[in-house]
Amino acid sequence: MSTATAAPTAPAKQSGGFTGKAANYLDERTSISGAVKEFGRKIFPDHWSFLLGEVALYSFVVILLSGTFLTFFFDAAMTHTTYEGSYAPMNGVHMSAAMASTLDISFDIRGGLLMRQVHHWAALLFVASIGLHMLRVFFTGAFRKPREINWVIGFVLFVLAMAEGFTGYSLPDDLLSGNGLRIIDGMIKSFPLVGTWISFLLFGGEFPGEDIVGRLYSLHIMILPALVIVFIALHLMFLIVHKHTQYPGPGRTEENVVGFPILPVYAAKAGGFFFIVFGVIMACATFFQINPIWNYGPYDPSPVSAGTQPDWYIGFADGMLRLAPPHLEFVWLDRTWSFGILLPVIILGLFIVTVLIYPFIEAWVSGDKREHHLLDRPRNAPTRTAIGAAGVTFYAVMWAAASSDLIATHFRVTMEGVIHTLQALLFLGPVIAYFVTKRICLGLQKKDREIALHGYETGRIVRLPGGEYIEVHEQVSDYERWELVSYKDNAPVMLRPNAQGKITGSMRLRAAMSRWFFEDRIAPVTQNELDQSHGDDEHH
Amino acid sequence: MSRKTSRPAAGKSRRTGRRSPAAAAALIAVGLLFTGGAYAAVSATTANAQPAPAAASQSNVEDGKKLFQANCATCHGLNAQGTSDGPSLIGVGAAAVDFQVGTGRMPMQGHGPQAQKKPVQFTQEQINQLAVYVGSTAPGPSIPDAKYLDADGDAAHGAELFRINCAMCHNVAGAGGALTEGKFAPSLVGVTPAHIYEAMITGPQNMPVFNDMNISPEGKRDIITALKYQEKIGNPGGIGLGSLGPVAEGLFIWIFGLGAVVALTVWITAKSN
């Protein structure tokens, strides 16, 4: 019996109860105590924003559970059939087996509609929580060395989640999903030379064909989930290897992690949290309808409904297509070049790649080779925070454009006005957001500096014996001050000749980028300044 | 029946000056009675709208002309021939008048991308008189026969026709949608069968005309059936979020779904006091 078994079993061992015997039995046969010792004592810091990735993980578990239920009844075939189920307005309507079985799941299988709604709401929450988790990681600088690779893995997970979502959205073969596939088909066909070939390969002939649902189904339930699971495993493995990051604070250093051990505290909290997330999803699915395919009817290439949009996570791509100006097609080399579609696709690709490689860009610009386990407060990295705000604005404009028609009807404005405004905002919005955010960050840093040096203004005015009036400042405690002053400062890199005594173009570029990143900065308060200001205050 | 018997009870309690425990219930019953009565009266008038054009007597035409000249002629001309401010109404038919005036779109409140729905300005009798007068100027689509408005046709066929012909502007669930230059296709929820039918045959505002060669009267009946069926069964999956599709669903999950989850993460990691 190892002494290193988990804490809860320790008292049981002494009393020789069932738990102790069971633990001993297991340990003698599996040597599990080594693993429990290794993982059970892992420390996780406690902060609400560290749970967002867990939300994604738990909603993925809910997706797997509800999805498995759906596979029992879903028929991923495009064979023609006539609906004979209990939803009257579809009775006798010709449709594919996929659509008919989805209607059966919704109306004729006990619990089927609830499971469909659980699956769909959980999918929306899955991608949303990944998005929020990524924003947290970005704005706190958690992607810095040694976690750049894990950022890439997480980003691949985000893309996989979108692919999972889109393939799932396309499976019921209803009008909405068919329209979505038609747009994807158009985007693929816009690629020069290979587009049409790829489209025919994917759809097994001319769109829509009779193969696509079966193929998407294989992707949706086998290949993509397997990839998601592999990447989640990698993501978590790296999380354990690197240890969790933590916010700066007294007693927290680059060498330690302050928080709770996995066993028993964190495992209990996380286990409970899983059921909370499950509960929120169940509540959504119980009370709120999602994707009423019975309204949309079977796919038919001719009708397109007003208000046809993809699920939210594909919205930015749809919006980018809507923002492309008209008349960008031309004929060259006897080929039609559809830049009205190709241009948005290129912009989307560039945007995605920029997000993917951002950690490497910042590492190169800063020349920072140190390991970072303490997070940045967003204000202490003004340029990064400003770039993030610009990126969020760019994404948000594209996202808003996907609902341009609903904005027009619900805010009583013209659709053209909405589109033109958003076209302008696509360029101006990020610039405005960049400068405003950077100024706010610098302002907050100045405020922090002021508070660290002189304390809070109390509003209490005191008249000194000599007749002088002063406002009494109250010093912050040493713990509070530590949070205000303990951040690392990055200065622009110096442009120095290399070993050959030359200054290359890339070095110039790097120096210029570094100036842009770190020129405007508020240096952290030094001990010297603190000592001086304290003497100053006593004098006051 | 029980509602009527409860009325005296309410009166008695008022006379004694004390509020009996039954008073609230009685009050609600009275309220329901009036609302129900009013509703019955309204639906009765809509139902009565059909035989009215048959009574296209000379006096109705005269009364309609007077109403027209007093309320419509400023824009549409004294003889409905149109002016620079409004189109000619010769040949638009009684159905157009019943739709435009019956939904409150006419008389128009102000110039804009399109005439807006608003509270109806005339009684159903006056609307009928106006319709008879305008219908008498030249042949045009007349107010539809009641047999097409019973919403008892083939809902499956109607839903298919609706998806092919109507959904691109009105949305598959009839929730409405945007058009160009600030115009829009309105929501069809709660629109009476007669007005739906009239809209199809007259093409009000920016709507195209769906004449009988395009969609047969039986087809129109099926469309009305499908819309009314959808209204009747509501949303089988729960609260419909406006039937606006993925945009509403996305906003919901970000604001309420993720909002709730973030609130719970804060709660879970809160330090105990």
Side-chain angles (χ1 to χ4, degrees), chain A residues 238-268:
Chain A
F238 275 114
L239 169 75
I240 287 172
V241 169
H242 295 142
K243 301 189 178 58
H244 207 288
T245 51
Q246 57 187 343
Y247 284 101
R252 297 175 181 182
T253 69
E254 296 284 9
E255 279 76 42
N256 70 2
V257 188
V258 179
F260 294 105
I262 287 190
L263 286 172
V265 180
Y266 206 77

PDB file of all heavy atoms in Angstrom, chain A residues 238-268:
ATOM      1  N   PHE A 238      -0.300  19.321 -23.056  1.00  0.00           N
ATOM      2  CA  PHE A 238       0.584  20.484 -22.950  1.00  0.00           C
ATOM      3  C   PHE A 238       0.228  21.339 -21.737  1.00  0.00           C
ATOM      4  O   PHE A 238       1.105  21.937 -21.117  1.00  0.00           O
ATOM      5  CB  PHE A 238       0.514  21.331 -24.223  1.00  0.00           C
ATOM      6  CG  PHE A 238       1.434  20.831 -25.295  1.00  0.00           C
ATOM      7  CD1 PHE A 238       0.947  20.300 -26.478  1.00  0.00           C
ATOM      8  CD2 PHE A 238       2.807  20.867 -25.109  1.00  0.00           C
ATOM      9  CE1 PHE A 238       1.801  19.826 -27.454  1.00  0.00           C
ATOM     10  CE2 PHE A 238       3.670  20.401 -26.083  1.00  0.00           C
ATOM     11  CZ  PHE A 238       3.169  19.881 -27.260  1.00  0.00           C
ATOM     12  N   LEU A 239      -1.054  21.381 -21.421  1.00  0.00           N
ATOM     13  CA  LEU A 239      -1.476  22.146 -20.237  1.00  0.00           C
ATOM     14  C   LEU A 239      -0.792  21.583 -18.996  1.00  0.00           C
ATOM     15  O   LEU A 239      -0.315  22.333 -18.136  1.00  0.00           O
ATOM     16  CB  LEU A 239      -2.998  22.057 -20.099  1.00  0.00           C
ATOM     17  CG  LEU A 239      -3.591  22.564 -18.785  1.00  0.00           C
ATOM     18  CD1 LEU A 239      -3.570  24.068 -18.768  1.00  0.00           C
ATOM     19  CD2 LEU A 239      -4.999  22.053 -18.587  1.00  0.00           C
ATOM     20  N   ILE A 240      -0.702  20.238 -18.932  1.00  0.00           N
ATOM     21  CA  ILE A 240      -0.084  19.618 -17.764  1.00  0.00           C
ATOM     22  C   ILE A 240       1.437  19.801 -17.803  1.00  0.00           C
ATOM     23  O   ILE A 240       2.070  20.100 -16.789  1.00  0.00           O
ATOM     24  CB  ILE A 240      -0.490  18.131 -17.687  1.00  0.00           C
ATOM     25  CG1 ILE A 240      -1.950  18.066 -17.256  1.00  0.00           C
ATOM     26  CG2 ILE A 240       0.400  17.364 -16.709  1.00  0.00           C
ATOM     27  CD1 ILE A 240      -2.564  16.712 -17.320  1.00  0.00           C
ATOM     28  N   VAL A 241       2.005  19.662 -19.005  1.00  0.00           N
ATOM     29  CA  VAL A 241       3.458  19.818 -19.133  1.00  0.00           C
ATOM     30  C   VAL A 241       3.881  21.242 -18.737  1.00  0.00           C
ATOM     31  O   VAL A 241       4.817  21.433 -17.965  1.00  0.00           O
ATOM     32  CB  VAL A 241       3.903  19.508 -20.569  1.00  0.00           C
ATOM     33  CG1 VAL A 241       5.350  19.922 -20.790  1.00  0.00           C
ATOM     34  CG2 VAL A 241       3.736  18.021 -20.857  1.00  0.00           C
ATOM     35  N   HIS A 242       3.138  22.235 -19.266  1.00  0.00           N
ATOM     36  CA  HIS A 242       3.544  23.623 -19.012  1.00  0.00           C
ATOM     37  C   HIS A 242       3.128  24.109 -17.635  1.00  0.00           C
ATOM     38  O   HIS A 242       3.608  25.122 -17.171  1.00  0.00           O
ATOM     39  CB  HIS A 242       2.900  24.567 -20.031  1.00  0.00           C
ATOM     40  CG  HIS A 242       3.371  24.329 -21.430  1.00  0.00           C
ATOM     41  ND1 HIS A 242       2.531  24.425 -22.519  1.00  0.00           N
ATOM     42  CD2 HIS A 242       4.572  23.993 -21.921  1.00  0.00           C
ATOM     43  CE1 HIS A 242       3.212  24.169 -23.612  1.00  0.00           C
ATOM     44  NE2 HIS A 242       4.445  23.900 -23.289  1.00  0.00           N
ATOM     45  N   LYS A 243       2.174  23.450 -17.029  1.00  0.00           N
ATOM     46  CA  LYS A 243       1.479  23.922 -15.826  1.00  0.00           C
ATOM     47  C   LYS A 243       0.629  25.130 -16.209  1.00  0.00           C
ATOM     48  O   LYS A 243       0.859  25.768 -17.224  1.00  0.00           O
ATOM     49  CB  LYS A 243       2.448  24.311 -14.709  1.00  0.00           C
ATOM     50  CG  LYS A 243       3.329  23.154 -14.296  1.00  0.00           C
ATOM     51  CD  LYS A 243       4.114  23.488 -13.047  1.00  0.00           C
ATOM     52  CE  LYS A 243       4.950  22.316 -12.619  1.00  0.00           C
ATOM     53  NZ  LYS A 243       5.912  21.869 -13.680  1.00  0.00           N
ATOM     54  N   HIS A 244      -0.376  25.379 -15.376  1.00  0.00           N
ATOM     55  CA  HIS A 244      -1.290  26.461 -15.735  1.00  0.00           C
ATOM     56  C   HIS A 244      -0.648  27.825 -15.481  1.00  0.00           C
ATOM     57  O   HIS A 244       0.165  27.964 -14.585  1.00  0.00           O
ATOM     58  CB  HIS A 244      -2.597  26.339 -14.957  1.00  0.00           C
ATOM     59  CG  HIS A 244      -3.755  26.953 -15.674  1.00  0.00           C
ATOM     60  ND1 HIS A 244      -3.912  28.303 -15.796  1.00  0.00           N
ATOM     61  CD2 HIS A 244      -4.774  26.394 -16.347  1.00  0.00           C
ATOM     62  CE1 HIS A 244      -5.000  28.550 -16.494  1.00  0.00           C
ATOM     63  NE2 HIS A 244      -5.542  27.417 -16.848  1.00  0.00           N
ATOM     64  N   THR A 245      -1.055  28.803 -16.299  1.00  0.00           N
ATOM     65  CA  THR A 245      -0.601  30.172 -16.041  1.00  0.00           C
ATOM     66  C   THR A 245      -1.381  30.732 -14.855  1.00  0.00           C
ATOM     67  O   THR A 245      -2.385  30.167 -14.439  1.00  0.00           O
ATOM     68  CB  THR A 245      -0.881  31.071 -17.244  1.00  0.00           C
ATOM     69  OG1 THR A 245      -2.240  30.900 -17.607  1.00  0.00           O
ATOM     70  CG2 THR A 245       0.017  30.709 -18.404  1.00  0.00           C
ATOM     71  N   GLN A 246      -0.913  31.851 -14.334  1.00  0.00           N
ATOM     72  CA  GLN A 246      -1.656  32.496 -13.250  1.00  0.00           C
ATOM     73  C   GLN A 246      -1.523  34.005 -13.370  1.00  0.00           C
ATOM     74  O   GLN A 246      -0.605  34.513 -13.994  1.00  0.00           O
ATOM     75  CB  GLN A 246      -1.138  32.026 -11.900  1.00  0.00           C
ATOM     76  CG  GLN A 246       0.350  32.269 -11.719  1.00  0.00           C
ATOM     77  CD  GLN A 246       0.876  31.655 -10.440  1.00  0.00           C
ATOM     78  OE1 GLN A 246       0.117  31.327  -9.553  1.00  0.00           O
ATOM     79  NE2 GLN A 246       2.185  31.502 -10.347  1.00  0.00           N
ATOM     80  N   TYR A 247      -2.490  34.675 -12.795  1.00  0.00           N
ATOM     81  CA  TYR A 247      -2.425  36.142 -12.790  1.00  0.00           C
ATOM     82  C   TYR A 247      -1.369  36.586 -11.794  1.00  0.00           C
ATOM     83  O   TYR A 247      -1.130  35.910 -10.801  1.00  0.00           O
ATOM     84  CB  TYR A 247      -3.791  36.737 -12.431  1.00  0.00           C
ATOM     85  CG  TYR A 247      -4.765  36.669 -13.567  1.00  0.00           C
ATOM     86  CD1 TYR A 247      -5.743  35.690 -13.618  1.00  0.00           C
ATOM     87  CD2 TYR A 247      -4.672  37.572 -14.620  1.00  0.00           C
ATOM     88  CE1 TYR A 247      -6.619  35.615 -14.688  1.00  0.00           C
ATOM     89  CE2 TYR A 247      -5.539  37.508 -15.682  1.00  0.00           C
ATOM     90  CZ  TYR A 247      -6.508  36.533 -15.711  1.00  0.00           C
ATOM     91  OH  TYR A 247      -7.356  36.460 -16.774  1.00  0.00           O
ATOM     92  N   PRO A 248      -0.727  37.720 -12.067  1.00  0.00           N
ATOM     93  CA  PRO A 248       0.304  38.176 -11.143  1.00  0.00           C
ATOM     94  C   PRO A 248      -0.313  38.556  -9.797  1.00  0.00           C
ATOM     95  O   PRO A 248      -1.448  39.004  -9.727  1.00  0.00           O
ATOM     96  CB  PRO A 248       0.899  39.403 -11.839  1.00  0.00           C
ATOM     97  CG  PRO A 248      -0.127  39.849 -12.814  1.00  0.00           C
ATOM     98  CD  PRO A 248      -0.905  38.637 -13.204  1.00  0.00           C
ATOM     99  N   GLY A 249       0.457  38.367  -8.763  1.00  0.00           N
ATOM    100  CA  GLY A 249      -0.021  38.722  -7.433  1.00  0.00           C
ATOM    101  C   GLY A 249       1.058  38.395  -6.436  1.00  0.00           C
ATOM    102  O   GLY A 249       2.037  37.721  -6.774  1.00  0.00           O
ATOM    103  N   PRO A 250       0.905  38.840  -5.198  1.00  0.00           N
ATOM    104  CA  PRO A 250       1.924  38.569  -4.194  1.00  0.00           C
ATOM    105  C   PRO A 250       2.092  37.066  -4.006  1.00  0.00           C
ATOM    106  O   PRO A 250       1.100  36.336  -3.927  1.00  0.00           O
ATOM    107  CB  PRO A 250       1.351  39.202  -2.924  1.00  0.00           C
ATOM    108  CG  PRO A 250       0.259  40.093  -3.378  1.00  0.00           C
ATOM    109  CD  PRO A 250      -0.232  39.575  -4.670  1.00  0.00           C
ATOM    110  N   GLY A 251       3.314  36.605  -3.991  1.00  0.00           N
ATOM    111  CA  GLY A 251       3.579  35.188  -3.773  1.00  0.00           C
ATOM    112  C   GLY A 251       3.524  34.361  -5.036  1.00  0.00           C
ATOM    113  O   GLY A 251       3.840  33.182  -5.024  1.00  0.00           O
ATOM    114  N   ARG A 252       3.112  34.961  -6.130  1.00  0.00           N
ATOM    115  CA  ARG A 252       3.052  34.213  -7.387  1.00  0.00           C
ATOM    116  C   ARG A 252       4.255  34.587  -8.242  1.00  0.00           C
ATOM    117  O   ARG A 252       4.474  35.759  -8.530  1.00  0.00           O
ATOM    118  CB  ARG A 252       1.767  34.538  -8.128  1.00  0.00           C
ATOM    119  CG  ARG A 252       0.558  34.110  -7.328  1.00  0.00           C
ATOM    120  CD  ARG A 252      -0.699  34.535  -7.995  1.00  0.00           C
ATOM    121  NE  ARG A 252      -1.843  34.125  -7.178  1.00  0.00           N
ATOM    122  CZ  ARG A 252      -3.091  34.335  -7.534  1.00  0.00           C
ATOM    123  NH1 ARG A 252      -3.362  34.946  -8.665  1.00  0.00           N
ATOM    124  NH2 ARG A 252      -4.063  33.932  -6.771  1.00  0.00           N
ATOM    125  N   THR A 253       4.997  33.587  -8.626  1.00  0.00           N
ATOM    126  CA  THR A 253       6.200  33.852  -9.415  1.00  0.00           C
ATOM    127  C   THR A 253       6.163  33.016 -10.679  1.00  0.00           C
ATOM    128  O   THR A 253       5.246  32.237 -10.899  1.00  0.00           O
ATOM    129  CB  THR A 253       7.457  33.477  -8.620  1.00  0.00           C
ATOM    130  OG1 THR A 253       7.492  32.053  -8.503  1.00  0.00           O
ATOM    131  CG2 THR A 253       7.466  34.107  -7.246  1.00  0.00           C
ATOM    132  N   GLU A 254       7.204  33.181 -11.496  1.00  0.00           N
ATOM    133  CA  GLU A 254       7.320  32.376 -12.704  1.00  0.00           C
ATOM    134  C   GLU A 254       7.628  30.926 -12.366  1.00  0.00           C
ATOM    135  O   GLU A 254       7.533  30.046 -13.206  1.00  0.00           O
ATOM    136  CB  GLU A 254       8.432  32.935 -13.608  1.00  0.00           C
ATOM    137  CG  GLU A 254       8.163  34.339 -14.140  1.00  0.00           C
ATOM    138  CD  GLU A 254       7.140  34.378 -15.263  1.00  0.00           C
ATOM    139  OE1 GLU A 254       6.494  33.349 -15.535  1.00  0.00           O
ATOM    140  OE2 GLU A 254       6.976  35.448 -15.874  1.00  0.00           O
ATOM    141  N   GLU A 255       8.067  30.672 -11.137  1.00  0.00           N
ATOM    142  CA  GLU A 255       8.498  29.319 -10.781  1.00  0.00           C
ATOM    143  C   GLU A 255       7.430  28.510 -10.053  1.00  0.00           C
ATOM    144  O   GLU A 255       7.551  27.304  -9.928  1.00  0.00           O
ATOM    145  CB  GLU A 255       9.767  29.365  -9.899  1.00  0.00           C
ATOM    146  CG  GLU A 255      11.049  29.561 -10.691  1.00  0.00           C
ATOM    147  CD  GLU A 255      11.222  30.994 -11.163  1.00  0.00           C
ATOM    148  OE1 GLU A 255      10.946  31.919 -10.360  1.00  0.00           O
ATOM    149  OE2 GLU A 255      11.576  31.214 -12.339  1.00  0.00           O
ATOM    150  N   ASN A 256       6.403  29.170  -9.540  1.00  0.00           N
ATOM    151  CA  ASN A 256       5.402  28.409  -8.782  1.00  0.00           C
ATOM    152  C   ASN A 256       4.015  28.558  -9.407  1.00  0.00           C
ATOM    153  O   ASN A 256       3.824  29.316 -10.359  1.00  0.00           O
ATOM    154  CB  ASN A 256       5.383  28.870  -7.326  1.00  0.00           C
ATOM    155  CG  ASN A 256       4.812  30.271  -7.169  1.00  0.00           C
ATOM    156  OD1 ASN A 256       4.387  30.893  -8.134  1.00  0.00           O
ATOM    157  ND2 ASN A 256       4.813  30.770  -5.950  1.00  0.00           N
ATOM    158  N   VAL A 257       3.063  27.760  -8.911  1.00  0.00           N
ATOM    159  CA  VAL A 257       1.655  27.933  -9.274  1.00  0.00           C
ATOM    160  C   VAL A 257       0.883  27.960  -7.969  1.00  0.00           C
ATOM    161  O   VAL A 257       0.994  27.048  -7.157  1.00  0.00           O
ATOM    162  CB  VAL A 257       1.134  26.774 -10.145  1.00  0.00           C
ATOM    163  CG1 VAL A 257      -0.258  27.100 -10.650  1.00  0.00           C
ATOM    164  CG2 VAL A 257       2.061  26.487 -11.293  1.00  0.00           C
ATOM    165  N   VAL A 258       0.107  29.011  -7.764  1.00  0.00           N
ATOM    166  CA  VAL A 258      -0.658  29.126  -6.530  1.00  0.00           C
ATOM    167  C   VAL A 258      -2.107  28.775  -6.835  1.00  0.00           C
ATOM    168  O   VAL A 258      -2.720  29.356  -7.713  1.00  0.00           O
ATOM    169  CB  VAL A 258      -0.570  30.555  -5.966  1.00  0.00           C
ATOM    170  CG1 VAL A 258      -1.398  30.671  -4.699  1.00  0.00           C
ATOM    171  CG2 VAL A 258       0.875  30.924  -5.710  1.00  0.00           C
ATOM    172  N   GLY A 259      -2.628  27.783  -6.121  1.00  0.00           N
ATOM    173  CA  GLY A 259      -4.023  27.407  -6.365  1.00  0.00           C
ATOM    174  C   GLY A 259      -4.374  26.162  -5.601  1.00  0.00           C
ATOM    175  O   GLY A 259      -3.777  25.876  -4.568  1.00  0.00           O
ATOM    176  N   PHE A 260      -5.349  25.419  -6.132  1.00  0.00           N
ATOM    177  CA  PHE A 260      -5.802  24.209  -5.460  1.00  0.00           C
ATOM    178  C   PHE A 260      -5.271  22.987  -6.181  1.00  0.00           C
ATOM    179  O   PHE A 260      -5.141  23.000  -7.394  1.00  0.00           O
ATOM    180  CB  PHE A 260      -7.324  24.157  -5.427  1.00  0.00           C
ATOM    181  CG  PHE A 260      -7.931  25.237  -4.594  1.00  0.00           C
ATOM    182  CD1 PHE A 260      -8.543  26.336  -5.189  1.00  0.00           C
ATOM    183  CD2 PHE A 260      -7.880  25.173  -3.206  1.00  0.00           C
ATOM    184  CE1 PHE A 260      -9.096  27.339  -4.423  1.00  0.00           C
ATOM    185  CE2 PHE A 260      -8.433  26.170  -2.434  1.00  0.00           C
ATOM    186  CZ  PHE A 260      -9.034  27.253  -3.038  1.00  0.00           C
ATOM    187  N   PRO A 261      -5.002  21.902  -5.427  1.00  0.00           N
ATOM    188  CA  PRO A 261      -4.612  20.659  -6.106  1.00  0.00           C
ATOM    189  C   PRO A 261      -5.813  20.023  -6.803  1.00  0.00           C
ATOM    190  O   PRO A 261      -6.952  20.263  -6.419  1.00  0.00           O
ATOM    191  CB  PRO A 261      -4.131  19.779  -4.948  1.00  0.00           C
ATOM    192  CG  PRO A 261      -4.841  20.300  -3.753  1.00  0.00           C
ATOM    193  CD  PRO A 261      -5.035  21.765  -3.973  1.00  0.00           C
ATOM    194  N   ILE A 262      -5.537  19.222  -7.838  1.00  0.00           N
ATOM    195  CA  ILE A 262      -6.634  18.573  -8.562  1.00  0.00           C
ATOM    196  C   ILE A 262      -7.467  17.746  -7.590  1.00  0.00           C
ATOM    197  O   ILE A 262      -8.683  17.844  -7.557  1.00  0.00           O
ATOM    198  CB  ILE A 262      -6.076  17.676  -9.684  1.00  0.00           C
ATOM    199  CG1 ILE A 262      -5.544  18.551 -10.809  1.00  0.00           C
ATOM    200  CG2 ILE A 262      -7.168  16.752 -10.215  1.00  0.00           C
ATOM    201  CD1 ILE A 262      -5.187  17.801 -12.057  1.00  0.00           C
ATOM    202  N   LEU A 263      -6.757  16.889  -6.798  1.00  0.00           N
ATOM    203  CA  LEU A 263      -7.492  16.079  -5.827  1.00  0.00           C
ATOM    204  C   LEU A 263      -7.289  16.645  -4.442  1.00  0.00           C
ATOM    205  O   LEU A 263      -6.153  16.871  -4.048  1.00  0.00           O
ATOM    206  CB  LEU A 263      -7.000  14.632  -5.865  1.00  0.00           C
ATOM    207  CG  LEU A 263      -7.459  13.838  -7.096  1.00  0.00           C
ATOM    208  CD1 LEU A 263      -6.768  12.488  -7.150  1.00  0.00           C
ATOM    209  CD2 LEU A 263      -8.960  13.659  -7.096  1.00  0.00           C
ATOM    210  N   PRO A 264      -8.296  16.830  -3.661  1.00  0.00           N
ATOM    211  CA  PRO A 264      -9.688  16.579  -4.000  1.00  0.00           C
ATOM    212  C   PRO A 264     -10.425  17.815  -4.527  1.00  0.00           C
ATOM    213  O   PRO A 264     -11.479  17.694  -5.106  1.00  0.00           O
ATOM    214  CB  PRO A 264     -10.280  16.187  -2.644  1.00  0.00           C
ATOM    215  CG  PRO A 264      -9.499  17.011  -1.672  1.00  0.00           C
ATOM    216  CD  PRO A 264      -8.141  17.207  -2.252  1.00  0.00           C
ATOM    217  N   VAL A 265      -9.840  19.021  -4.292  1.00  0.00           N
ATOM    218  CA  VAL A 265     -10.635  20.247  -4.466  1.00  0.00           C
ATOM    219  C   VAL A 265     -11.045  20.447  -5.916  1.00  0.00           C
ATOM    220  O   VAL A 265     -12.223  20.570  -6.241  1.00  0.00           O
ATOM    221  CB  VAL A 265      -9.830  21.472  -3.979  1.00  0.00           C
ATOM    222  CG1 VAL A 265     -10.638  22.731  -4.150  1.00  0.00           C
ATOM    223  CG2 VAL A 265      -9.405  21.274  -2.545  1.00  0.00           C
ATOM    224  N   TYR A 266     -10.024  20.448  -6.783  1.00  0.00           N
ATOM    225  CA  TYR A 266     -10.319  20.864  -8.144  1.00  0.00           C
ATOM    226  C   TYR A 266     -11.175  19.845  -8.872  1.00  0.00           C
ATOM    227  O   TYR A 266     -12.068  20.201  -9.640  1.00  0.00           O
ATOM    228  CB  TYR A 266      -9.011  21.100  -8.910  1.00  0.00           C
ATOM    229  CG  TYR A 266      -9.238  22.078  -9.994  1.00  0.00           C
ATOM    230  CD1 TYR A 266      -9.333  23.427  -9.707  1.00  0.00           C
ATOM    231  CD2 TYR A 266      -9.424  21.650 -11.292  1.00  0.00           C
ATOM    232  CE1 TYR A 266      -9.602  24.330 -10.680  1.00  0.00           C
ATOM    233  CE2 TYR A 266      -9.685  22.550 -12.287  1.00  0.00           C
ATOM    234  CZ  TYR A 266      -9.770  23.884 -11.977  1.00  0.00           C
ATOM    235  OH  TYR A 266     -10.055  24.786 -12.957  1.00  0.00           O
ATOM    236  N   ALA A 267     -10.918  18.540  -8.624  1.00  0.00           N
ATOM    237  CA  ALA A 267     -11.710  17.508  -9.290  1.00  0.00           C
ATOM    238  C   ALA A 267     -13.174  17.625  -8.893  1.00  0.00           C
ATOM    239  O   ALA A 267     -14.071  17.491  -9.725  1.00  0.00           O
ATOM    240  CB  ALA A 267     -11.170  16.130  -8.939  1.00  0.00           C
ATOM    241  N   ALA A 268     -13.410  17.920  -7.629  1.00  0.00           N
ATOM    242  CA  ALA A 268     -14.799  18.057  -7.171  1.00  0.00           C
ATOM    243  C   ALA A 268     -15.456  19.254  -7.827  1.00  0.00           C
ATOM    244  O   ALA A 268     -16.580  19.185  -8.324  1.00  0.00           O
ATOM    245  CB  ALA A 268     -14.818  18.191  -5.655  1.00  0.00           C
TER     246      ALA A 268
END
